[in-house]
Amino acid sequence: MIINHPLLGPCDAQEFTYKGDARLIDRPDGMAEGSGPAFYDYAYLRDNPAGEHRELWFHEQGDRSWLVVTRNTVTHDIISVELARDVARSMGRSR
Amino acid sequence: MRLKAGGQIDRDTKLSFRFDGKHYKGHPGDTLASALLANGVRLMGRSFKYHRPRGVLTAGSDEPNALVELRSGGRQEPNTRATVVELFDGLHAAPQNAWPSLRFDALAINDKLSNFLTAGFYYKTFMWPAAFWEKLYEPIIRRAAGLGSITTQPDPDPYDKGFLHCDLLIIGAGPSGLMAALTAGRAGARVILADEDFRMGGRLNAESYAISEMAGSDWAAQIVAELVSLPNVRLMPRTTVFGAFDHGIYGAVERVSDHLPVPQTGKPRQTLWRIYTRRTLLCAGALERPIAFANNDRPGIMTASALRAYVNRWAVSPAETVAVFTNNDDGHRTAADLIAKGVKVAALIDTRPDAPKAAGTELLAGAQVIDTSGRLGLTGVTVKLANGQTRKLACGALGVSGGWNPNVSLTCHQRGRPAWEERIAAFVPAGDLPQGMIVAGAAGGQFSTHATLAGGAEKAAQALTDLGITATKPDLPQAEDAPTRITPFWHVKSDKRAWLDFQNDVTVKDVKLAHQEGFRSVEHLKRYTTLGMATDQGKTSNMGGLAIMAELTGQSIAQTGTTMFRPPYTPVAMGVLAGRSTGQDFRPTRLTPSHHWAKEQGAVFVEVGMWLRAQWFPRKGETTWRESVDREVSATRASVGVCDVTTLGKIDVQGTDAAEFLNRSYCNAFAKLPVGRVRYGLMLREDGIAFDDGTAARLAEDHFVVTTTTANAVPVYRHMEFARQCLWPDMDVQLISTTEAWAQYAIAGPNARKLLQKIVDPAFDISNDAFPFMACAEITVCNGCPARLFRISFSGELAYELAVPTRYGDALIRRIMAEGAEFDVTPYGTEALGVMRIEKGHAAGNELNGQTTALNLGMGRMVSEKKDSIGAVLSRREGLSTADALKLVGFRPKNPQSRIPAGAHLLEKGAKMIVANDLGYVTSACYSPTLESYIAIGFLKNGQARMGETLRAASPLTGEDVEIEIVSAHFVDPEGDRLRA
């Protein structure tokens, strides 16, 4: 596969390491009261869609950016590639 | 036999070769198959299951029959298709799957047993008893039903891998591929033209018709000559594009040296290419399919197009008299070409009652071949005439044409599903083709030469237009434009066996049996009968099989559908997939900065991931590793030792939020760590399990150096980058791996400080007061060399780790050894390192094994509740903190000289060795020269409460069963006086 890196352009997927569902960005607050169930969901529950899937890829053999790649798991079409940091910010994550 | 004239062979040069122990001659331009036929050899192999005598069926890479073992020794290559082996002087090949000889094969008895060896035979016969499978059935089946044998010697030849990029990849250099390459090449596009043959031209080399009043092969040569002159066109003959992968990436194997006895110096045998394309034009042509009839597998029976290719391209006829059996007009062309070359055609047998007239031979319209004769080679055929009478014809070869299948294989490698096209009675590419792929010529169902030439030019121009490149179509040469006329005819009805899949010995009867037993979908049919599952992937057989299934189920072929083709298009050798990654070069080897010095000392090395580390340093007179390791431990504890610890991961963490970042990354507190101090840190996974441990040294308010274990250097860095970019994107913190940037040595033992004081520049005070346990500083050594000093201890001794830029690592170890001579400084390896950390009760990889928590490791209280850190919440889960949770403890054998087996499980005295009685397990064990006893550490349920008790460490693997006492894991200096000295 070829991943169109937002900063570096098209790169072979072999340069990347795969992590999984981009929901992992949405980490619960560990200091919140009763956050146990939220962490259980966060650590263990994943959707397994046949179709579009937002997932995290790490450009390990490249610039070490974490990317959010929206990929069709059936066709391997890549619909969009974003810097995970931008996605995290857009989801309200900061410090 | 070789015809008197013609053919694209160099008749002036003779090549000697050997097959089945006999010597023959051929010419440059020959394949092994054409040269054997020229020498009158039709019998080339034995079939897979029935051991039937077989000859060539085709003249190309779709060959199912003529498989031979090529070369010998380390170069021996099984299952090589004689039809694609380019002849070279000194070639030798052996028949395979035949014993004692090709002409008399003992297992031909299977042929007589064919009533028992039908489809599903294995499933039905070898069901029971189960124990017989491994010892009896499998060895027998493997011997009887094998293909070629592999050599056990190493392959002496190198294989390469390479990467190519192009605007347009053209697969196949027949008429459409050549026209496409000409169009795109002249337009200036970056073009790759790959063809599996050694001579480009495709069918043009095998046909007799003219293109613009030239021989087809001459026209092809002329186009190739122009393409060679274009710098933007790369011609790749002997190159098979074997797979179409995601996003326009193709895999190809170039057979660089297969046509030579041995590769030229410096050249690989084959090269695996990964080709990145913007557009791809598939010009893979079409493959002729046979017709099934009784005993249609005798040597001498082949596809009509193969017969025509042998006559036209190689000037070879397999026999003096031949016959042709067809259901379409193309068979007539074969007969005409043979007659033109002076070969006697006994008859042209056409299944169509309305067959067009034929000249130069007798036309038997509406007739069918119902049987054949000749055990080791065809002697004649029996024909059922239109009027119902039978007639015998003597002939030594029979060309069979059941029509042509567009070569759709590569179009299926992603999600393409071929569709049935009635006009040519064949499947054509359809569905989602691989990204960027366009199909041209016969591969797309356009069979006339004119149509393939026009299609190649047009589709190339279309592909370039997509890319914004303007192309002018070249003038089209004059060529034949005959329509396809075919009346589908798949098999002649018969009680005898009629072969569909020649390589896996699947007959029409087997398809009928599959239907009868309910295996009716094409995918079930394939797996039940093994139709199309041989190394040729059923290129010549799938179509016939599913047409017969359609007939049996009363469905149309379109409704029946077709099975999928998958990579590789033709078999690919494992060697070329491995490339240079074999033996020692399987993966990179990382050497520590002290490696060359350690080698000079005669160190024994051990692989730790990719690293080579010194395991111990044997001295003269030491005969066992234990002697060396015990000495290294004792010398270190008595005076001073030195060990290269460069392999531990180092991550530089900088930024105003660096402290807070580490505070959230480690489960224990880091925010208030003062500058100039180091702290042990434990990292958890988000599920609460221990991930990795190490130290973090604060060199400045906004600057830390983090260490990781050797094994986790990469995963920890990846994890920290994830936290930085995805969890806390606005933190001011930067990370970089500096593992390779610093050479780092542990200097441990009571004399460590004295030794270091000789190396550290005098401006830096490293006395115990000025530089206490867990201090760190940026200093200089050896008169100005920048360095970092950490007072940390893995051994439990007064110890330091000293880091210098990697390029000074070799010089530093030599200086340490020289300055340390007065203290008898002792280099120690990973074994002594391990012994000392077990003596001290430090956890390492064996304890951080992906199943243990901070609580298990005795560090439960380290997990801070005052802050949020990765893994903290789930580490507090009920199930992980039960009263009888495993705890890290030490073990001493009742008899100090009894070894405690690592991995042993803990049991009460007298308890049976069953899971229900399991109390825990031993993780790390060694002999402690300090305690003069074997010792171990491990996990015991509620271990802290069981100090002083006696249990057993038992290993069902080794049979050892040792009485042990539960003790603290801190065997040596539990109070820590030594490391604070």
Side-chain angles (χ1 to χ4, degrees):
Chain A
M1 291 195 298
I2 292 184
I3 293 175
N4 196 6
H5 191 300
L7 305 176
L8 301 174
C11 299
D12 194 301
Q14 281 198 322
E15 296 171 16
F16 293 80
T17 304
Y18 180 78
K19 186 171 177 76
D21 195 334
R23 275 185 49 203
L24 286 169
I25 294 172
D26 196 16
R27 183 178 182 274
D29 176 6
M31 296 308 281
E33 196 66 31
S35 59
F39 268 95
Y40 170 78
D41 284 1
Y42 176 71
Y44 293 109
L45 298 186
R46 303 276 185 281
D47 290 334
N48 182 22
E52 281 193 21
H53 189 226
R54 279 160 68 78
E55 49 199 28
L56 285 159
W57 291 74
F58 181 48
H59 200 200
E60 191 147 82
Q61 311 293 326
D63 75 340
R64 308 189 300 275
S65 288
W66 277 96
L67 304 180
V68 173
V69 176
T70 307
R71 183 177 67 101
N72 186 315
T73 56
V74 176
T75 64
H76 291 185
D77 285 342
I78 290 179
I79 295 100
S80 75
V81 184
E82 303 154 272
L83 289 175
R85 169 174 255 156
D86 293 344
V87 173
R89 282 179 177 139
S90 74
M91 291 164 73
R93 300 200 72 89
S94 174
R95 295 170 60 82
Chain B
M1 65 176 196
R2 186 80 73 182
L3 304 177
K4 295 240 161 18
Q8 294 140 44
I9 49 168
D10 173 10
R11 288 180 188 256
D12 296 335
T13 309
K14 282 196 169 137
L15 305 175
S16 300
F17 70 100
R18 212 166 76 224
F19 175 71
D20 198 15
K22 293 195 187 67
H23 291 268
Y24 300 102
K25 301 264 190 230
H27 298 292
D30 264 326
T31 62
L32 176 57
S34 72
L36 283 172
L37 290 174
N39 284 280
V41 179
R42 289 179 298 172
L43 174 63
M44 294 184 200
R46 287 275 175 168
S47 75
F48 182 74
K49 192 155 100 178
Y50 300 126
H51 290 250
R52 301 262 298 183
R54 292 283 168 80
V56 294
L57 181 71
T58 72
S61 67
D62 47 343
E63 177 60 32
N65 269 348
L67 306 185
V68 299
E69 271 172 24
L70 193 62
R71 299 185 164 94
S72 58
R75 293 192 168 90
Q76 182 183 314
E77 201 184 313
N79 310 334
T80 309
R81 289 149 290 155
T83 49
V84 296
V85 172
E86 198 173 337
L87 197 68
F88 55 83
D89 199 47
L91 177 148
H92 55 99
Q96 55 189 36
N97 203 29
W99 183 86
S101 75
L102 187 56
R103 295 183 69 82
F104 177 78
D105 179 359
L107 278 169
I109 186 75
N110 284 2
D111 197 30
K112 308 279 184 225
L113 300 173
S114 64
N115 280 343
F116 302 99
L117 293 172
T118 51
F121 165 71
Y122 298 109
Y123 308 128
K124 291 168 186 166
T125 310
F126 299 113
M127 292 282 287
W128 47 263
F132 276 30
W133 178 253
E134 202 173 315
K135 291 213 169 74
L136 185 67
Y137 296 149
E138 188 179 334
I140 291 174
I141 293 169
R142 283 201 184 281
R143 202 169 317 136
L147 291 167
S149 56
I150 56 163
T151 177
T152 52
Q153 296 173 34
D155 189 332
D157 298 327
Y159 295 80
D160 264 336
K161 290 185 187 180
F163 300 82
L164 293 171
H165 297 257
C166 63
D167 294 320
L168 185 63
L169 167 66
I170 301 166
I171 302 167
S176 57
L178 288 172
M179 276 307 279
L182 193 65
T183 306
R186 284 181 183 171
R190 284 193 304 170
V191 176
I192 292 174
L193 176 60
D195 194 283
E196 60 181 354
D197 205 333
F198 54 89
R199 186 184 174 105
M200 289 194 161
R203 279 306 295 184
L204 292 177
N205 294 328
E207 302 292 356
S208 59
Y209 48 69
I211 295 189
S212 290
E213 292 167 11
M214 296 169 82
S217 59
D218 291 343
W219 180 85
Q222 180 187 301
I223 301 297
V224 168
E226 178 174 346
L227 293 172
V228 166
S229 74
L230 297 174
N232 53 318
V233 177
R234 182 181 182 121
L235 295 170
M236 300 181 75
R238 301 187 177 98
T239 302
T240 302
V241 177
F242 66 80
F245 302 99
D246 290 309
H247 304 167
I249 301 171
Y250 289 80
V253 170
E254 182 178 7
R255 290 172 295 279
V256 180
S257 308
D258 277 3
H259 60 295
L260 305 169
V262 296
Q264 289 174 302
T265 312
K267 290 280 187 190
R269 173 76 179 274
Q270 299 179 351
T271 300
L272 178 70
W273 292 105
R274 178 185 290 225
I275 307 177
Y276 297 85
T277 68
R278 297 176 74 199
R279 289 290 181 278
T280 298
L281 208 54
L282 182 71
C283 303
L287 300 173
E288 198 175 27
R289 60 199 187 208
I291 295 171
F293 52 91
N295 292 312
N296 61 334
D297 65 331
R298 299 192 193 281
I301 301 177
M302 60 188 76
T303 63
S305 61
L307 199 54
R308 193 155 91 214
Y310 286 118
V311 166
N312 287 333
R313 178 169 170 182
W314 289 288
V316 165
S317 177
E320 283 178 28
T321 306
V322 305
V324 175
F325 181 33
T326 186
N327 66 352
N328 67 85
D329 281 6
D330 196 64
H332 290 245
R333 181 184 284 169
T334 299
D337 278 10
L338 291 166
I339 293 159
K341 295 283 179 181
V343 179
K344 189 178 171 218
V345 178
L348 173 54
I349 305 143
D350 194 321
T351 56
R352 299 171 295 176
D354 58 345
K357 292 204 166 21
T361 185
E362 184 183 1
L363 173 72
L364 303 176
Q368 299 171 5
V369 176
I370 56 167
D371 205 353
T372 68
S373 60
R375 201 172 63 83
L376 297 174
L378 186 70
T379 53
V381 299
T382 308
V383 180
K384 185 180 167 199
L385 301 173
N387 61 13
Q389 291 176 329
T390 57
R391 198 166 122 192
K392 290 197 174 186
L393 295 169
C395 58
L398 177 71
V400 184
S401 179
W404 291 77
N405 292 326
N407 192 353
V408 299
S409 284
L410 286 165
T411 70
C412 301
H413 284 187
Q414 296 291 312
R415 289 166 306 285
R417 284 280 181 182
W420 181 251
E421 189 168 316
E422 208 65 54
R423 177 181 62 87
I424 54 170
F427 282 98
V428 293
D432 287 340
L433 302 193
Q435 186 179 312
M437 181 188 276
I438 302 171
V439 183
Q446 302 298 320
F447 287 162
S448 84
T449 313
H450 169 80
T452 59
L453 291 164
E458 187 185 322
K459 297 291 174 69
Q462 178 196 327
L464 295 187
T465 306
D466 289 352
L467 301 175
I469 302 170
T470 312
T472 315
K473 277 182 258 174
D475 293 337
L476 273 185
Q478 291 288 316
E480 64 83 24
D481 194 16
T484 302
R485 279 199 296 255
I486 178 169
T487 305
F489 185 88
W490 306 103
H491 68 117
V492 178
K493 292 188 175 46
S494 171
D495 293 336
K496 295 181 180 170
R497 280 174 298 163
W499 268 263
L500 291 164
D501 183 332
F502 291 80
Q503 202 177 352
N504 265 356
D505 268 338
V506 181
T507 65
V508 175
K509 273 186 182 176
D510 293 317
V511 176
K512 287 181 179 165
L513 187 66
H515 172 259
Q516 186 185 317
E517 301 195 344
F519 297 93
R520 293 175 188 181
S521 93
V522 285
E523 298 292 349
H524 289 158
L525 168 68
K526 170 177 171 175
R527 281 151 189 88
Y528 193 63
T529 62
T530 72
L531 174 79
M533 287 175 72
T535 60
D536 68 336
Q537 277 198 48
K539 290 182 178 66
T540 51
S541 62
N542 282 348
M543 190 60 237
L546 61 92
I548 290 167
M549 183 54 85
E551 197 178 290
L552 290 166
T553 57
Q555 289 186 316
S556 69
I557 293 174
Q559 284 167 323
T560 303
T562 176
T563 54
M564 296 292 277
F565 292 98
R566 292 191 175 83
Y569 172 66
T570 51
V572 174
M574 296 302 284
V576 75
L577 295 174
R580 304 261 174 181
S581 302
T582 59
Q584 274 207 317
D585 299 324
F586 178 66
R587 60 182 184 180
T589 305
R590 301 172 83 182
L591 302 181
T592 63
S594 67
H595 183 84
H596 298 297
W597 169 84
K599 212 170 168 185
E600 289 166 25
Q601 309 310 308
V604 173
F605 293 97
V606 60
E607 281 183 36
V608 183
M610 290 183 191
W611 291 98
L612 276 187
R613 294 186 75 180
Q615 197 171 9
W616 65 85
F617 294 82
R619 279 198 186 158
K620 250 187 201 153
E622 291 174 345
T623 53
T624 68
W625 66 273
R626 264 283 307 283
E627 279 180 79
S628 308
V629 173
D630 288 357
R631 172 184 50 76
E632 289 170 17
V633 171
S634 300
T636 301
R637 296 224 185 270
S639 178
V640 61
V642 58
C643 181
D644 191 326
V645 293
T646 303
T647 62
L648 275 78
K650 307 178 199 77
I651 300 168
D652 209 72
V653 183
Q654 298 195 37
T656 54
D657 290 323
E660 179 56 22
F661 178 76
L662 293 183
N663 207 35
R664 295 185 199 174
S665 301
Y666 287 112
C667 70
N668 50 319
F670 268 87
K672 290 176 185 153
L673 180 69
V675 172
R677 285 292 180 274
V678 187
R679 184 168 289 170
Y680 173 81
L682 181 66
M683 255 181 218
L684 306 181
R685 308 192 312 219
E686 197 64 271
D687 63 1
I689 301 294
F691 173 29
D692 197 60
D693 67 349
T695 59
R698 191 165 201 173
L699 296 175
E701 273 301 317
D702 58 356
H703 187 193
F704 290 78
V705 174
V706 163
T707 67
T708 75
T709 59
T710 300
N712 278 333
V714 171
V716 167
Y717 179 80
R718 187 187 302 154
H719 169 75
M720 288 171 74
E721 279 290 1
F722 167 75
R724 185 180 80 93
Q725 296 177 37
C726 300
L727 301 184
W728 310 303
D730 289 332
M731 270 195 169
D732 175 24
V733 61
Q734 302 295 329
L735 308 173
I736 190 160
S737 167
T738 57
T739 304
E740 279 112 339
W742 295 89
Q744 195 151 319
Y745 296 100
I747 298 155
N751 287 320
R753 185 184 297 119
K754 285 184 196 156
L755 167 54
L756 266 179
Q757 277 166 337
K758 297 176 73 180
I759 290 169
V760 173
D761 289 341
F764 301 96
D765 182 359
I766 58 166
S767 68
N768 200 27
D769 290 339
F771 200 78
F773 179 55
M774 294 309 246
C776 66
E778 291 181 288
I779 59 165
T780 61
V781 296
C782 306
N783 202 12
C785 176
R788 287 170 175 176
L789 187 63
F790 311 90
R791 189 166 162 193
I792 52 179
S793 177
F794 198 44
S795 58
E797 295 299 321
L798 164 64
Y800 302 82
E801 289 190 12
L802 176 61
V804 293
T806 301
R807 61 188 180 281
Y808 301 123
D810 180 77
L812 182 64
I813 186 65
R814 291 173 199 277
R815 177 69 74 93
I816 290 170
M817 293 307 294
E819 299 291 351
E822 63 172 293
F823 310 109
D824 194 21
V825 63
T826 301
Y828 64 91
T830 54
E831 289 296 329
L833 180 90
V835 169
M836 287 191 278
R837 72 99 188 162
I838 295 169
E839 288 180 338
K840 184 65 185 168
H842 278 152
N846 293 10
E847 287 73 39
L848 276 71
N849 60 11
Q851 302 174 24
T852 52
T853 63
L855 183 75
N856 300 144
L857 292 161
M859 296 188 268
R861 267 177 292 174
M862 271 175 63
V863 185
S864 171
E865 297 194 9
K866 294 184 191 144
K867 60 161 186 171
D868 185 12
S869 68
I870 290 174
V873 171
L874 291 183
S875 78
R876 291 192 278 266
R877 275 181 290 168
E878 226 173 293
L880 294 180
S881 46
T882 52
D884 68 343
L886 294 168
K887 296 284 170 55
L888 185 68
V889 293
F891 310 115
R892 286 188 78 152
K894 285 289 181 187
N895 172 1
Q897 301 314 310
S898 290
R899 197 179 83 104
I900 304 175
H905 279 250
L906 305 170
L907 299 162
E908 299 281 4
K909 279 192 284 183
K912 273 178 83 177
M913 206 189 289
I914 54 172
V915 174
N917 294 334
D918 188 24
L919 298 174
Y921 56 97
V922 175
T923 50
S924 302
C926 68
Y927 178 79
S928 162
T930 315
L931 278 70
E932 296 183 335
S933 169
Y934 279 98
I935 58 168
I937 58 174
F939 295 104
L940 173 63
K941 283 182 185 171
N942 198 16
Q944 294 303 320
R946 308 194 65 163
M947 290 295 156
E949 289 184 27
T950 300
L951 294 174
R952 286 156 54 217
S955 168
L957 286 179
T958 65
E960 289 163 291
D961 195 335
V962 186
E963 279 203 359
I964 49 161
E965 186 188 342
I966 311 306
V967 297
S968 158
H970 311 295
F971 295 92
V972 169
D973 189 29
E975 306 302 324
D977 295 335
R978 291 196 198 189
L979 44 79
R980 291 191 177 82

